[in-house]
Amino acid sequence: MNIFTRFVKSLYSPKEVAKYRFLGIGKTIFYVFVIMLISILPGIYHFSKMAATAIEEGKQVFLEDLPPFTITNGNLDTKQNQPLIIPKSNVTIVFDPTGDMSTKDVQEKGNSVGLLKHDFVIVANGQVQTFPYSALENMKVTNKDIDNFINSLKGVMWIAVPIIFLFYYLFVSALGFIKISIFAGIGSLFAQTLNRKLSYRQGWRLAAHSITLSTIFFMLMDFLNTGVPAGMFIDWFVSLLFLYLTIREIPKSKKVG
């Protein structure tokens, strides 16, 4: 059975997925890598789009829209005495030298870049990255320095972005394998409760396919930039429910005597 057929059936048919417990481990591992790749596609799309837009609009923002500023000794210093919110096409610029705004305030703006009193913040597709100015140590940074840096990014972006996402993909895949391993252990408990014969290795194969429905759902939500309240709980609940229904489709163990 090819991977596309397994993918489709893993979206709706616990009965078919139950048969995958005899699948080769190599095919199962490959399936996990494919599913993990699909799960980060929205992140790749939104981040790449935001990065390209940010570079194009960066020069205008730092040279025209923002007041002159200096980052030194871990602080953002400027004559501006109140926060500035500058909406752009696909990103919002938050400039706050007062210390009134936090990382959470920047995150609430959606895809955004924040120059706060002590930190530089990037929010892309709900993911937050914070860089403290103190990491610059004794360096002094001004508007012009950032403009020069943006110009240098144009030449390396299409090299750096794939490398960044390669490491991100490997990280997400590692988390996926850990999650599946945990689900396989829970699957063993399901099997005992349901009086089904299921080894851990077989349970791992079933768990790998049982995460498909939830993964695709959250991938689509990410593409639509739609947050899901209690997302992790829903993810685990749906995956474990599918795994439970799958194990229930396995024939019961025959009683001896």
Side-chain angles (χ1 to χ4, degrees):
M1 185 178 294
N2 62 53
I3 190 170
F4 179 76
T5 301
R6 282 190 283 129
F7 170 77
V8 172
K9 291 185 180 297
S10 295
L11 292 172
Y12 68 90
S13 179
K15 184 175 182 179
E16 288 296 321
V17 172
K19 301 175 184 178
Y20 302 160
R21 66 189 186 279
F22 302 118
L23 195 68
I25 189 62
K27 291 183 177 179
T28 306
I29 290 174
F30 179 70
Y31 183 84
V32 175
F33 276 117
V34 172
I35 288 295
M36 292 301 104
L37 177 60
I38 291 174
S39 73
I40 67 169
L41 289 180
I44 294 175
Y45 170 76
H46 290 299
F47 184 87
S48 299
K49 185 177 179 180
M50 179 183 172
T53 302
I55 288 179
E56 291 300 319
E57 296 182 345
K59 292 179 67 67
Q60 176 187 350
V61 169
F62 287 102
L63 292 183
E64 300 177 18
D65 296 338
L66 295 181
F69 66 84
T70 301
I71 297 174
T72 183
N73 297 323
N75 296 305
L76 173 65
D77 297 317
T78 180
K79 294 181 179 179
Q80 176 75 22
N81 58 9
Q82 60 184 2
L84 288 176
I85 309 296
I86 305 173
K88 291 295 180 179
S89 55
N90 292 297
V91 66
T92 298
I93 309 299
V94 178
F95 183 79
D96 176 35
T98 67
D100 293 338
M101 301 186 72
S102 66
T103 299
K104 184 177 180 180
D105 295 322
V106 178
Q107 186 177 9
E108 291 175 352
K109 305 296 181 183
N111 290 338
S112 54
V113 173
L115 282 87
L116 305 183
K117 181 63 177 178
H118 304 292
D119 302 284
F120 179 70
V121 181
I122 297 177
V123 181
N125 195 33
Q127 303 299 314
V128 182
Q129 296 292 332
T130 303
F131 307 92
Y133 300 141
S134 58
L136 298 174
E137 296 182 344
N138 296 322
M139 293 179 60
K140 180 180 179 180
V141 179
T142 65
N143 303 54
K144 185 61 179 178
D145 295 323
I146 294 180
D147 178 61
N148 292 335
F149 176 69
I150 290 174
N151 286 332
S152 68
L153 282 180
K154 290 182 179 180
V156 302
M157 185 181 72
W158 300 114
I159 298 175
V161 169
I163 294 176
I164 291 171
F165 275 107
L166 174 61
F167 283 101
Y168 179 57
Y169 171 54
L170 293 176
F171 174 73
V172 170
S173 296
L175 292 181
F177 278 99
I178 293 172
K179 176 181 174 181
I180 291 168
S181 297
I182 294 173
F183 284 1
I186 297 175
S188 297
L189 298 178
F190 288 162
Q192 292 178 12
T193 302
L194 294 169
N195 191 30
R196 264 64 170 183
K197 184 177 180 181
L198 184 74
S199 67
Y200 179 83
R201 290 186 298 177
Q202 291 176 337
W204 200 94
R205 292 166 170 84
L206 298 186
H209 291 82
S210 295
I211 67 171
T212 304
L213 177 60
S214 179
T215 299
I216 298 305
F217 170 76
F218 282 97
M219 182 272 291
L220 292 175
M221 292 299 101
D222 287 344
F223 256 130
L224 297 173
N225 270 327
T226 302
V228 180
M232 181 177 178
F233 173 78
I234 294 174
D235 176 26
W236 281 55
F237 176 78
V238 172
S239 297
L240 288 174
L241 177 61
F242 198 100
L243 178 60
Y244 177 85
L245 295 175
T246 297
I247 294 174
R248 196 172 67 172
E249 294 293 336
I250 298 173
K252 287 187 176 182
S253 301
K254 294 181 179 181
K255 295 183 179 180
V256 179

